[in-house]
Amino acid sequence: MSLERLGVGTYKTTCAADTEYFGELIAPCLEDGDVLILTGGLGVGKTHFTKGVSCGLGDGHMVTSPTFALMAVHDQGRIPLFHFDLYRLEHAYELEDTGIFDVLGYEGACLLEWGEQFQDELTDEYLSVTLKRDEGDSDVRTITLEAHGDRAMELSHLIDKAVQDELA
């Protein structure tokens, strides 16, 4: 395991397994209603991160990118996980067809890949999770958390503590 804490809200992983592991570490911090907007280019690890969250919640089902389904539900864990991929949506009015408003901010945690384009239409309360590939090493990822709202700030602090405890 080569997860590294670079500072408050900033972490580094060096392979897909470590990105998944980071997701596993934060899963115990999640509560019903939490919203995470996952940002980053194609192939940076948003789905690997989601795999880790699902595993950390105790759901044993396989997690794949929901690109063609738009939403996947992983509901065999401690709380349900709603995994949305909004990449193919072009307009905010298309959000209604995804079923996102039926679950967003209520039961379970919502992880929204490519949600940054619609964040103003979705919710004011969310944790932005940005995954970025290192220019010098394509396996290295920097993961940055940015809280929007009180619960997101609390969640960010819980995640930072969980990572610090794990690395101690």
Side-chain angles (χ1 to χ4, degrees), residues 77-90:
R78 179 177 58 81
I79 61 173
L81 176 64
F82 300 95
H83 181 200
F84 289 87
D85 187 326
L86 306 178
Y87 180 75
R88 299 222 184 299
L89 301 185
E90 294 182 19

Side-chain angles (χ1 to χ4, degrees), residues 8 81 94 133 143:
V8 177
L81 176 64
E94 296 173 293
R133 190 178 269 132
I143 302 171

Side-chain angles (χ1 to χ4, degrees), residues 14-152:
T14 59
C15 62
D18 288 342
T19 302
E20 288 181 34
Y21 182 66
F22 181 73
E24 280 185 58
L25 278 179
I26 74 156
C29 304
L30 296 175
E31 296 179 357
D32 285 332
D34 285 339
V35 177
L36 283 72
I37 295 181
L38 309 182
T39 303
L42 289 170
V44 297
K46 295 180 296 293
T47 300
H48 285 291
F49 172 81
T50 303
K51 286 179 187 180
V53 172
S54 181
C55 181
L57 289 173
D59 186 290
H61 293 96
M62 182 163 121
V63 173
T64 59
S65 179
T67 299
F68 299 105
L70 295 181
M71 179 184 72
V73 180
H74 306 281
D75 59 359
Q76 300 301 307
R78 179 177 58 81
I79 61 173
L81 176 64
F82 300 95
H83 181 200
F84 289 87
D85 187 326
L86 306 178
Y87 180 75
R88 299 222 184 299
L89 301 185
E90 294 182 19
H91 304 284
Y93 65 80
E94 296 173 293
L95 290 168
E96 188 67 39
D97 295 334
T98 68
I100 198 167
F101 296 114
D102 295 334
V103 296
L104 189 67
Y106 299 106
E107 177 185 0
C110 290
L111 273 66
L112 314 176
E113 292 190 32
W114 303 97
E116 69 276 7
Q117 64 183 332
F118 301 115
Q119 64 195 26
D120 293 337
E121 289 85 1
L122 293 169
T123 181
D124 294 332
E125 181 79 28
Y126 64 94
L127 183 64
S128 175
V129 180
T130 303
L131 293 94
K132 189 174 184 182
R133 190 178 269 132
D134 188 310
E135 302 260 340
D137 185 343
S138 63
D139 291 331
V140 174
R141 305 290 191 270
T142 301
I143 302 171
T144 306
L145 307 180
E146 184 180 339
H148 300 268
D150 293 338
R151 170 59 191 156

